[in-house]
Amino acid sequence: MLLTPHTIFAGTVGEISGNPLVALTLGILSHFLLDALPHYDTTDGGKFTPRQIGVIVIDFICLVTIMLIVWMGLNPGTAFWFGALGGTIPDLLDNVPFWNKKFRSTIIGKAFHAFHDRIQKDEVGVWIGLLSQLIIICLSIIILMSTR
């Protein structure tokens, strides 16, 4: 799953919890829940291909835009930001090519990667996979707005 739905969903869960430590924990757990849903993702064998770079850039622009809107419009609490951080940690550890080989060479990293890879449901088509993520983003924002 792309970073935007992971972050927004985990932040929303964190905001609902109201507790930064609980939010961080739930954010990490929510990452695996979302990865188990059908979605689109591009890994291209862990290499920075032009397609992967394009997806990363577009995902990052969407993420920053939505987070700025949430921050300015809804002014979420600290728990939101801790949840959002928790939602990104698994991919930051396991998928960033600058350090993922080193991480995966450790006992914990090897087990973590095996689990993270096993739960992925990213074999659906691009449009269905992106639609599922758009639905998660929209529902998360609607739920976040209802907490105000």
Side-chain angles (χ1 to χ4, degrees):
M1 187 158 290
L2 301 174
L3 199 56
T4 301
H6 277 308
T7 307
I8 301 300
F9 182 83
T12 300
V13 170
E15 182 73 8
I16 291 168
S17 80
N19 178 307
L21 185 57
V22 171
L24 182 68
T25 303
L26 291 175
I28 293 169
L29 293 173
S30 78
H31 181 96
F32 301 112
L33 172 71
L34 292 183
D35 273 351
L37 298 175
H39 64 277
Y40 168 76
D41 209 352
T42 174
T43 57
D44 290 340
K47 295 180 172 56
F48 276 130
T49 64
R51 178 176 76 127
Q52 188 180 33
I53 291 169
V55 170
I56 290 169
V57 167
I58 292 168
D59 184 30
F60 186 74
I61 290 169
C62 290
L63 175 61
V64 169
T65 302
I66 292 170
M67 294 300 266
L68 283 172
I69 291 168
V70 166
W71 177 53
M72 291 187 298
L74 299 175
N75 193 25
T78 305
F80 174 87
W81 302 106
F82 273 80
L85 175 64
T88 64
I89 286 174
D91 277 345
L92 292 176
L93 286 174
D94 198 29
N95 294 334
V96 176
F98 300 119
W99 55 73
N100 69 350
K101 286 179 183 55
K102 188 172 210 160
F103 174 70
R104 292 174 187 175
S105 70
T106 66
I107 293 170
I108 292 172
K110 186 175 184 176
F112 183 89
H113 174 68
F115 172 73
H116 195 203
D117 195 47
R118 188 172 55 251
I119 65 166
Q120 293 292 325
K121 296 290 185 249
D122 58 359
E123 67 277 350
V124 298
V126 172
W127 297 114
I128 292 173
L130 290 175
L131 178 63
S132 70
Q133 294 181 76
L134 182 60
I135 290 169
I136 290 166
I137 292 166
C138 291
L139 286 176
S140 297
I141 292 171
I142 289 167
I143 292 167
L144 187 60
M145 290 171 55
S146 74
T147 66
R148 299 286 155 235

